[in-house]
Amino acid sequence: MSSDVTSIERRQFDTLIIGAGGGGLRASLQLAEADLSVAVVSKVFPTRSHTVAAQGGMNAALANVSPDNWHWHMFDTVKGSDYLGDQDAIEYMCRAAPKAVYELEHFGVPFSRLDNGKIYQRAFGGQSQNFGGDQASRTCAAADRTGHAILHSLYQQNIRAKTHFFDEYFAVDLIKDDEGHVLGAVIFNIQNGQIMVIEAKTTLLATGGAGQLFKTTTNALINTGDGMGMAMRAGIPLQDMEFFQFHPTGIAGRGMLITEGARGEGGYLVNGDGERLMERYAPKAKDLASRDVVSRAIAVEVREGRGCGPNKDHVLLKLDHLGEAVIQKRLPGIRQTCITFLGIDPAETPIPVFPTAHYTMGGIPTNRFGQVVVPVKDTPEEPVAGLYAAGECACVSVHGGNRLGGNSLLDILVFGRAAANHIIDYLKENKYHRSANEESVNEIVAKIKRYDQPPSSSDTASETVANLRKELKQTMEDHCSVFRNKEILKEGVDKVEQLAERMKNVRIDDQSFTFNTAKVEAFELENLMACALAAIHSAYAREESRGAHSRTDFTERDDKSWMRHSLYSFENGLDYKPVRTKPLSVESFPPKPRVY
Amino acid sequence: MKFKIYRYNPETDAKPYVQEYELDNVEPGTMLLAALLRIKDEQDQTLSFRRSCGEGVCGSDGMNINGFNGLACITSLDSLKQPVEVKPLPGLPVIRDLIIDMDQFYKQYRAVKPYLVVNDPMPEVELTQTPKQRERLDGLYECVLCACCTTSCPSFWWNPDKFLGPAALLQASRFIEDSRDQAFEQRLENLEGPFKLFRCHTIMNCVHVCPKGLNPTKAIGRIKAKMISRSL
């Protein structure tokens, strides 16, 4: 049962990690092995985290299949980001990639293998040799279940390292003191409703993306932008939230992901005329152009009447020419998904696909050490003491305007580890817990208790979570999708503002303290609202087309005015900061027209 | 479409009961999870169950569906007799409604030391493994820890604290079969005795219910064979 504020259980740790996907678990492993006390708080059992659903693989210039080096990978990533990625972070990530993969392999990840016993690498979108030359095979894969293989191995290593897990606890908000230090979080045990205060010298947000913003999505139901919402409420702006990736090949109308690896293994897209459509949009890379490019191509084909099916509302992904053996060996997971959800075997029948909400490029602004950074006076990036973020919830930004396939698993592992290493150093200098801010704690506790009272009959303005969430997802789908313009976005801004206002009237019918998922969904929706506000406002303001943000009224990229990061906060609305164009050791890649 | 769903909230219910729900306009091909989500959204916020990925990868929504354990998100309503009877997975304590306490299941998973053990210094690149060696892990590493198998196993129902159960033993096999692992002997030793492994009586419920099409009984058989050849 819920209790008095004074009797709330308090626990102290060196580090609190919120989220147990790949980023959180990579960090916790590093910290546990450094003999620090770590609490990993996750609203689901760790192996349910969305990393588990990653399919195609993880990029690293191992050169097991084609000649390669990290600098080529860096070029592809900068170009893929449409020059909005921060080049210091990108250089760091691409240099660290091979080591990150070898570490995983040593942790036990069952990577697919080449005949010589080395890790199998497949072709993926936007990957080239020699700065835009031939297609590179850079994506390390465990069949098409790479995320599952990685997440389970990381969890297993954490079992070995005896990491302290708080499974099925929901983190509601960060505790902050008057000097701006983050001191941990208030959480509650989903199983019994008990509120708990976790006091921590450092807190790492690793809560993943916000794909539940959209009606049709490849994302798990748990991807509700929790860390982003927490950051916003702690006064931290969200960065580049207008850049949301639509994966070219979600199952049409349903949303299940069909890995880019399907095209990497030789699959291709055809339109209603039976034409291999990508030859027109990306003559060289064809089906392995960047995701934003392929998604736009599909959307244009459908819009111009060249779609497939009775409603001409999708295109087809053709794999049957690969033969059953290749499909069973390299793509067994998506084969099963097609059989289960569509009743078709891709070894015989093409898959109906359409661009589907997939990945949050934006997020909590950090530097390449994982420190959360905010503008303070004339400094655009001042670290928030004690607070870190890594993975999809963060914006380092290695993905800029468009993430390359295979760079997401890489991001979580490289920056989960980097954040942990910085935390280890930080704790050497900051040995003691700061006293908890009781005012901050009490506010959060009161918020959690808000849903403990049943809705009263005099409550005329009552709203349900389900209705508001449905409206929000439809609004984002209609107003913040692959193509955008001023009118559509303005309407979207107004609608989301109204929805956020109505959020205040949400009531729930379930007052139980035992596994109250209705209460969890209410907090999740609050987090989604924060993300939606940031996304739609940032999209409305950005009058150019870059990466995944395509404006039909501003069709060109405008480097003069817009090669800068958006920042949106509750307090200040929109603000901007420059892109970090200077890499660590090599020459900067200046913006160029982006052709595939 | 009609549903009969197991309900229990320890705060308010002296004992479990069955509640009936009805949904209109259920389209062909709808999965059970989608129906449960609709019931929760449209009719009854208090109906509680776990769920996440919605495509059979995360293993959250294992439940007993018309008498068989399965994942709600990949069980099509087309294939189910009405009314659809939904209960929590059997053999473990119920926390609320369709949500079971999985602690014992996870404890048995941890008991097999499910992590790669390499004692030699690690090379600065990958440990090599031939495609053939890697193939031995197929059918073992794909487990999603949904507990459908273990909670369908009579041997586990009788001895949940002593018999490790099919899911944990599948994991044991996953590491025993890994050419990179250097704890082969200890792993087999760890499974000695009448209960941990040998309580498997090849009833094969685990094989019939596994939503990922895996075969824990076969994996257990492979371990048994290794133990026998080791003792000879």
Side-chain angles (χ1 to χ4, degrees), chain A residues 468-502:
Chain A
L468 272 189
R469 185 174 56 206
K470 196 171 164 193
E471 282 187 53
L472 177 68
K473 287 160 73 98
Q474 188 68 54
T475 302
M476 291 298 287
E477 190 100 350
D478 294 344
H479 295 274
C480 209
S481 192
V482 176
F483 287 109
R484 305 161 174 185
N485 67 40
K486 189 171 189 154
E487 284 71 30
I488 289 174
L489 284 166
K490 180 70 183 76
E491 245 179 81
V493 167
D494 294 343
K495 284 186 181 177
V496 174
E497 289 278 7
Q498 286 163 16
L499 289 167
E501 194 55 37
R502 285 164 59 192

Side-chain angles (χ1 to χ4, degrees), chain B residues 201-222:
Chain B
H201 298 311
T202 56
I203 298 164
M204 295 187 59
N205 282 1
C206 54
V207 184
H208 293 132
V209 299
C210 177
K212 305 306 288 180
L214 308 179
N215 191 331
T217 305
K218 191 173 149 199
I220 292 167
R222 274 159 87 178

Side-chain angles (χ1 to χ4, degrees), chain A residues 57-59 124-127 139 245 260 291 403-408:
Chain A
M58 167 172 173
N59 298 328
F124 239 55
Q127 304 289 341
T139 308
Q245 178 162 84
E260 188 167 298
R291 286 182 178 169
R403 175 174 71 79
L404 294 185
N407 269 357
S408 174

Side-chain angles (χ1 to χ4, degrees), chain A residues 268-269 275-284 286-287:
Chain A
Y268 56 85
L269 298 164
E275 180 201 10
R276 192 171 167 178
L277 61 107
M278 283 312 299
E279 288 178 343
R280 263 186 289 124
Y281 296 89
K284 193 163 141 215
K286 299 192 182 75
D287 293 85

Side-chain angles (χ1 to χ4, degrees), chain A residues 569-586:
Chain A
S569 67
F570 285 134
E571 291 77 10
N572 305 320
L574 277 164
D575 189 6
Y576 295 91
K577 68 175 183 182
V579 174
R580 301 191 302 265
T581 52
K582 195 173 166 349
L584 301 175
S585 72
V586 292

